[in-house]
Amino acid sequence: MAKKKDDEKKKHVAVVTKKSLQFLEEYINNPAPTGYEWQGQKLWLNYLKPYIDEHFIDNYGTAVGVINPKATFKVVIEAHADEISWYVNYITADGLIYVIRNGGSDHQIAPSKRVNIHTEKGLVKAVFGWPAIHTRHGEKEQAPELKNIFLDCGCTSKEEVEKLGIHVGCVITYEDEFMVLNDRYYVGRALDNRVGGFMIAEVARLLKENKKKLPFGLYIVNSVQEEIGLRGAEMIAQRIKPNVAIITDVTHDTTTPMINKNVQGELFAGKGPVVSYAPAVQTNLNKLLIKTAEKNNIPFQRQASSRSTGTDTDAFAYSNGGVPSALISLPLRYMHTTVEMVHKEDVDNVISLIYESLLNITDGQDFREFK
């Protein structure tokens, strides 16, 4: 009898709806490279608007939905909207294109990938070329590096490339799209971290549908330019001046090959949200997240992040004289590739953990250890 009760308790209840999933697919498939997030932010805000009281956008494109905008005490839930990409850096006389990074783009996965070059005339298709295996001779094979990967857009001269609207500074994104794998994983490019933007929007949906009234102002923040150094979060933190911030981003599933658990720790996709331990993570806010997870039977994992989390948590924590901040991470396989992979149940559980945690924060709550 006890075992049956335990099984019932552990049964997972889905949070993401069919309508939500349609939005997630559209949102992931839309390109939003660092510095060019506008179109994705429009999609995100249009989905969020039914669940908020008002919204605003800053000069660089960070989008913010607000519930209870007149409240003095302000709580932020935040993710970042931008994806890694490339810039056109040099066009050769014979029409090939060399690139530089916009964010942490991985040169090793580039060869044979299809891409979109964004120009004022529209998208131009291209591929990352690579010499055929038959032509690669010698004792040591040349590995893909930033200096030797190149794009081919089917042109034979620099002039022909430029006639397509391509110039130095054009941004380049991969064209890979969203899919559901084995009815278990969401897969696609830019799950880092547009899935975070999706999850905080789902929190707003749950608050509205469940008719929950919060005693504070809630700021649902989708920041830009995280991939180049947390820049969007730095800007918006100064504008909102929050009292509390809960950040969500991805972290590594460390159970796949070639990852050293001695260095990266042990984290599993499918075993729940990850709470982090780092100087930027405020201890008592972190305890609130853990107690909330335990009380609501939400599975969770723990991660030590050393000196910094490397996420927008750091930007919020060290802003405005110090803002109590914490990080809820989503385990992800194959980060910064075109086949990033997250577990469906983890997505549901991150949404639930943020939602339930908000219900446990009181107006004016003081998170200091002593006064």
Side-chain angles (χ1 to χ4, degrees), residues 172 289 325:
I172 304 150
L289 301 182
S325 301

Side-chain angles (χ1 to χ4, degrees), residues 96-112:
L96 297 177
I97 298 168
Y98 285 83
V99 300
I100 57 170
R101 294 184 179 93
N102 184 18
S105 300
D106 188 346
H107 52 275
Q108 290 206 40
I109 70 158
S112 83

Side-chain angles (χ1 to χ4, degrees), residues 48-66:
L48 186 67
K49 280 177 182 176
Y51 314 125
I52 58 177
D53 297 321
E54 62 181 49
H55 71 275
F56 62 90
I57 302 156
D58 77 2
N59 289 330
Y60 278 83
T62 290
V64 182
V66 189

Side-chain angles (χ1 to χ4, degrees), residues 110 143 147 166 192 288 297:
K147 66 185 179 183
I166 299 169
D192 174 14
L288 182 146
N297 296 312

Side-chain angles (χ1 to χ4, degrees), residues 133-264:
I133 190 170
H134 319 68
T135 67
R136 303 199 305 266
H137 300 295
E139 292 182 5
K140 185 177 181 182
E141 285 212 55
Q142 194 170 1
E145 297 179 66
L146 190 60
K147 66 185 179 183
N148 66 14
I149 57 173
F150 62 91
L151 289 176
D152 188 333
C153 61
C155 295
T156 57
S157 69
K158 181 177 181 179
E159 290 73 24
E160 192 180 354
V161 172
E162 290 174 337
K163 280 182 182 178
L164 294 175
I166 299 169
H167 56 75
V168 170
C170 282
V171 72
I172 304 150
T173 56
Y174 294 114
E175 65 172 27
D176 299 67
E177 295 193 337
F178 179 87
M179 69 175 180
V180 179
L181 186 64
N182 194 28
D183 195 31
R184 182 175 295 153
Y185 293 99
Y186 301 135
V187 178
R189 57 166 235 290
L191 287 171
D192 174 14
N193 181 36
R194 284 211 288 280
V195 71
F198 168 73
M199 293 188 295
I200 59 176
E202 288 295 273
V203 172
R205 176 179 68 81
L206 292 182
L207 289 169
K208 184 77 170 183
E209 291 178 354
N210 294 333
K211 299 178 179 176
K212 297 294 183 181
K213 301 295 182 184
L214 297 174
F216 46 77
L218 180 65
Y219 291 71
I220 303 109
V221 179
N222 211 12
S223 293
V224 297
Q225 300 194 23
E226 186 272 350
E227 294 290 357
I228 57 161
L230 324 181
R231 300 308 185 192
E234 288 177 353
M235 291 184 276
I236 204 66
Q238 298 301 332
R239 177 165 175 174
I240 296 173
K241 294 181 168 51
N243 300 97
V244 179
I246 298 173
I247 314 305
T248 187
D249 205 332
V250 295
T251 191
H252 302 287
D253 173 337
T254 64
T255 63
T256 56
M258 297 184 287
I259 296 178
N260 186 341
K261 293 178 186 176
N262 292 349
V263 177
Q264 299 292 339

Side-chain angles (χ1 to χ4, degrees), residues 12-16 343-353:
H12 179 77
V13 179
V15 174
V16 174
H343 200 288
K344 290 167 61 175
E345 291 187 6
D346 288 343
V347 172
D348 289 334
N349 283 323
V350 169
I351 296 165
S352 296
L353 181 53

